Amino acid sequence: MATTIASFDSGHEAMIHDAQLDYYGKRLATCSSDRTIKIFEVAGETQTFVAQLKGHDGPVWQVAWAHPKFGNLLASCGYDRKVIIWKEGAQHQWSKVYEYSEHESSVNSLAWAPWEYGLILAAASSDGAVSVHTRRPDDTWDVKSFHAHAIGCNAISWSPATHPGTLTNAQLGASSTLPPKRFVTGGCDNNIRIWKCIEAENRWVEEDRLEGHKDWVRDVAWAPNIGMPSQTIASCSEDRTVVIWTQEAEGSSWMHKTLPLSAPVWRVSWSITGNILAASCGDNKVYLYKETLEGNWELISAMNEAGVLQTEVTSPVEVK
């Protein structure tokens, strides 16, 4: 069975690198090699162009919406080494409120921390560094930067602000304390690294290193946690695989399962409940996987570049 998904002309003059819906799914931000960001209002199958943001001097790789409790804020990063935060004042009137250009090479990825930690943005760069930008009470920004990968850093994703196991542990569920800040990065050294913030020393330390890919790691995504005891991270690589990493209890080893694909895999993204994983592949298809009761990952559908959703699909490569 195949179903056509709606598509529309964005008006970008070059390749689109990212498209992100806001918290409510009412606005869509896109970014492109044409150096611009475009914002659309989404209502059902109707998309209305409302704003264009110009401030980058090269291709814009990613955009990310902040949580709405902080207002209408959008972050962007690009080849020009810049991290920019945009704010909407009057309706559809956007202005630049923060710019960071201290990275030595392209800024490839960025992600907002869970809102419970405050307004914090992390960015990953080809110079191998990660920069963490925290808004102070006086609206200025504190920046902490550290070297994360030997060759370059391609992707970053924050862990949920939820203690694993709150559904099964009443004491954890009643706790008002947040878990330590953590995020995961993927780099050109083929590694995935997990970083933890030591609050008392105001610094980030490497907590775990996950080795399993044989080529550049292009994306990482920490799965949402609704209170289950385990934690899950997905990673994808130019080695044509998606790897699902699982930690059954805090402090235990990370176990992994490999999903082979037929082409390099560029992006991975979780559903809001963390039980369905989307993988964007170099064969111009997006594959959707779901975990079975036995703990295996089953391919449930795929969508091609024409926007046709196929619900009767077979794995592009047999899992061995």
Side-chain angles (χ1 to χ4, degrees):
M1 180 180 178
T3 304
T4 302
I5 306 299
S7 62
F8 68 99
D9 185 359
S10 69
H12 281 295
E13 297 175 357
M15 182 181 292
I16 297 171
H17 298 291
D18 197 16
Q20 295 289 334
L21 287 166
D22 70 358
Y23 180 84
Y24 298 110
K26 298 295 185 182
R27 287 184 172 182
L28 175 70
T30 61
C31 61
S32 165
S33 281
D34 66 8
R35 307 182 181 188
T36 69
I37 299 160
K38 292 181 184 289
I39 297 175
F40 302 84
E41 288 188 343
V42 180
E45 296 185 2
T46 302
Q47 303 84 24
T48 305
F49 170 72
V50 295
Q52 177 172 270
L53 312 183
K54 294 182 177 181
H56 283 281
D57 301 317
V60 188
W61 301 135
Q62 278 193 17
V63 288
W65 295 93
H67 190 279
K69 75 165 291 182
F70 301 109
N72 293 326
L73 295 176
L74 181 71
S76 60
C77 65
Y79 182 75
D80 58 2
R81 304 181 293 114
K82 292 180 181 179
V83 174
I84 298 177
I85 298 176
W86 311 83
K87 182 176 182 179
E88 184 182 35
Q91 189 175 28
H92 307 324
Q93 300 299 311
W94 291 80
S95 60
K96 188 189 304 183
V97 294
Y98 176 73
E99 180 177 317
Y100 179 82
S101 56
E102 298 302 313
H103 280 291
E104 297 176 359
S105 190
S106 170
V107 183
N108 302 316
S109 180
L110 77 178
W112 292 101
W115 65 268
E116 293 91 338
Y117 293 122
L119 193 60
I120 306 174
L121 180 70
S125 171
S126 289
D127 63 11
V130 167
S131 58
V132 182
H133 311 254
T134 304
R135 190 177 70 176
R136 301 186 182 102
D138 62 357
D139 282 341
T140 59
W141 292 80
D142 173 71
V143 182
K144 291 287 183 293
S145 181
F146 62 91
H147 196 74
H149 290 267
I151 306 175
C153 193
N154 295 323
I156 191 164
S157 177
W158 289 81
S159 69
T162 308
H163 287 282
T166 53
L167 284 180
T168 56
N169 186 318
Q171 185 175 356
L172 276 177
S175 173
S176 60
T177 61
L178 295 173
K181 300 184 188 78
R182 290 184 175 91
F183 54 68
V184 58
T185 59
C188 301
D189 54 6
N190 308 346
N191 290 332
I192 295 108
R193 304 187 185 200
I194 297 172
W195 304 90
K196 177 181 177 180
C197 183
I198 307 300
E199 298 287 353
E201 302 173 14
N202 194 22
R203 66 186 182 97
W204 292 84
V205 297
E206 182 179 326
E207 186 176 49
D208 275 300
R209 184 178 304 187
L210 311 181
E211 299 177 346
H213 285 292
K214 298 177 181 178
D215 208 334
W216 288 12
V217 178
R218 281 298 181 181
D219 199 17
V220 289
W222 204 309
N225 191 311
I226 57 174
M228 301 300 289
S230 61
Q231 298 193 80
T232 304
I233 294 171
S235 61
C236 66
S237 167
E238 292 194 35
D239 65 8
R240 304 186 177 194
T241 66
V242 170
V243 178
I244 311 294
W245 307 86
T246 304
Q247 186 185 51
E248 294 298 336
E250 187 163 350
S252 65
S253 299
W254 288 83
M255 309 302 291
H256 72 276
K257 293 184 177 180
T258 301
L259 309 178
L261 287 154
S262 59
V265 192
W266 299 104
R267 297 290 294 273
V268 283
S269 179
W270 293 98
S271 64
I272 194 169
T273 54
N275 64 334
I276 294 178
L277 177 69
S280 177
C281 194
D283 61 3
N284 298 327
K285 290 184 179 180
V286 175
Y287 296 94
L288 298 181
Y289 292 90
K290 185 174 183 179
E291 188 176 18
T292 66
L293 294 176
E294 294 76 25
N296 299 315
W297 289 87
E298 179 182 40
L299 179 64
I300 57 174
S301 65
M303 185 171 63
N304 63 22
E305 60 182 331
V308 177
L309 184 68
Q310 302 168 294
T311 55
E312 295 178 2
V313 292
T314 57
S315 176
V317 177
E318 286 298 321
V319 178
K320 297 181 180 179

